[in-house]
CSV table of all heavy atoms in Angstrom, one decimal:
chain,number,residue,atom,x,y,z
D,396,VAL,N,57.1,86.7,128.4
D,396,VAL,CA,57.5,88.1,128.5
D,396,VAL,C,58.5,88.2,129.7
D,396,VAL,O,58.3,87.6,130.7
D,396,VAL,CB,56.3,89.0,128.8
D,396,VAL,CG1,56.7,90.4,129.0
D,396,VAL,CG2,55.3,88.9,127.7
D,397,MET,N,59.6,88.8,129.4
D,397,MET,CA,60.6,89.0,130.4
D,397,MET,C,60.7,90.5,130.8
D,397,MET,O,60.8,91.3,129.8
D,397,MET,CB,62.0,88.6,129.9
D,397,MET,CG,62.2,87.1,129.8
D,397,MET,SD,62.4,86.3,131.4
D,397,MET,CE,62.8,84.6,130.9
D,398,VAL,N,60.6,90.8,132.0
D,398,VAL,CA,60.8,92.2,132.5
D,398,VAL,C,62.1,92.4,133.2
D,398,VAL,O,62.3,91.7,134.3
D,398,VAL,CB,59.6,92.6,133.4
D,398,VAL,CG1,59.8,94.1,133.8
D,398,VAL,CG2,58.3,92.5,132.6
D,399,VAL,N,63.0,93.1,132.7
D,399,VAL,CA,64.3,93.3,133.3
D,399,VAL,C,64.4,94.6,133.9
D,399,VAL,O,64.2,95.7,133.3
D,399,VAL,CB,65.5,93.2,132.2
D,399,VAL,CG1,66.8,93.1,132.9
D,399,VAL,CG2,65.2,92.2,131.2
D,400,GLU,N,64.6,94.6,135.2
D,400,GLU,CA,64.7,95.9,135.9
D,400,GLU,C,66.2,96.3,136.1
D,400,GLU,O,67.0,95.5,136.7
D,400,GLU,CB,64.0,95.8,137.3
D,400,GLU,CG,64.1,97.2,138.1
D,400,GLU,CD,63.5,97.0,139.5
D,400,GLU,OE1,62.4,96.6,139.6
D,400,GLU,OE2,64.2,97.3,140.4
D,401,VAL,N,66.5,97.4,135.5
D,401,VAL,CA,67.9,97.9,135.6
D,401,VAL,C,68.0,99.1,136.5
D,401,VAL,O,67.0,99.7,136.9
D,401,VAL,CB,68.5,98.2,134.2
D,401,VAL,CG1,68.5,97.0,133.3
D,401,VAL,CG2,67.8,99.4,133.6
D,402,MET,N,69.2,99.5,136.9
D,402,MET,CA,69.4,100.7,137.8
D,402,MET,C,69.0,102.0,137.1
D,402,MET,O,68.9,102.1,135.9
D,402,MET,CB,70.8,100.7,138.3
D,402,MET,CG,71.0,99.6,139.4
D,402,MET,SD,72.5,99.8,140.3
D,402,MET,CE,72.2,98.8,141.8
D,403,GLY,N,68.8,103.0,137.9
D,403,GLY,CA,68.4,104.3,137.4
D,403,GLY,C,67.2,104.8,138.1
D,403,GLY,O,66.1,104.6,137.7
D,404,ARG,N,67.4,105.5,139.2
D,404,ARG,CA,66.3,105.9,140.1
D,404,ARG,C,65.7,107.2,139.5
D,404,ARG,O,64.5,107.3,139.4
D,404,ARG,CB,66.8,106.1,141.5
D,404,ARG,CG,65.8,105.7,142.6
D,404,ARG,CD,66.4,105.8,144.0
D,404,ARG,NE,67.3,104.6,144.2
D,404,ARG,CZ,66.8,103.4,144.6
D,404,ARG,NH1,65.5,103.2,144.8
D,404,ARG,NH2,67.6,102.4,144.9
D,405,HIS,N,66.5,108.1,139.0
D,405,HIS,CA,66.0,109.4,138.6
D,405,HIS,C,66.2,109.6,137.1
D,405,HIS,O,65.6,110.4,136.5
D,405,HIS,CB,66.6,110.5,139.4
D,405,HIS,CG,66.4,110.3,140.9
D,405,HIS,ND1,65.2,110.4,141.5
D,405,HIS,CD2,67.3,110.0,141.9
D,405,HIS,CE1,65.3,110.1,142.8
D,405,HIS,NE2,66.5,109.9,143.0
D,406,ALA,N,67.3,108.9,136.5
D,406,ALA,CA,67.6,109.1,135.1
D,406,ALA,C,67.6,107.7,134.5
D,406,ALA,O,68.0,106.7,135.1
D,406,ALA,CB,68.9,109.8,135.0
D,407,GLY,N,67.1,107.7,133.2
D,407,GLY,CA,66.9,106.4,132.6
D,407,GLY,C,68.0,106.0,131.6
D,407,GLY,O,67.8,105.1,130.8
D,408,TRP,N,69.2,106.5,131.8
D,408,TRP,CA,70.2,106.3,130.8
D,408,TRP,C,70.6,104.8,130.6
D,408,TRP,O,70.7,104.3,129.5
D,408,TRP,CB,71.5,107.0,131.1
D,408,TRP,CG,71.3,108.5,131.0
D,408,TRP,CD1,71.2,109.5,131.9
D,408,TRP,CD2,71.2,109.2,129.7
D,408,TRP,NE1,71.0,110.7,131.4
D,408,TRP,CE2,71.0,110.6,130.0
D,408,TRP,CE3,71.2,108.8,128.4
D,408,TRP,CZ2,70.9,111.6,129.0
D,408,TRP,CZ3,71.1,109.8,127.4
D,408,TRP,CH2,70.9,111.2,127.7
D,409,ILE,N,70.7,104.1,131.8
D,409,ILE,CA,71.0,102.6,131.7
D,409,ILE,C,69.9,101.9,131.0
D,409,ILE,O,70.2,101.1,130.1
D,409,ILE,CB,71.3,102.0,133.1
D,409,ILE,CG1,72.5,102.7,133.7
D,409,ILE,CG2,71.5,100.5,133.0
D,409,ILE,CD1,72.8,102.3,135.1
D,410,ALA,N,68.7,102.1,131.3
D,410,ALA,CA,67.6,101.5,130.7
D,410,ALA,C,67.5,101.8,129.2
D,410,ALA,O,67.4,100.9,128.3
D,410,ALA,CB,66.3,101.8,131.3
Side-chain angles (χ1 to χ4, degrees):
Chain D
V396 178
M397 289 284 189
V398 178
V399 195
E400 183 184 303
V401 300
M402 283 189 164
R404 218 171 280 278
H405 304 294
W408 292 105
I409 295 175

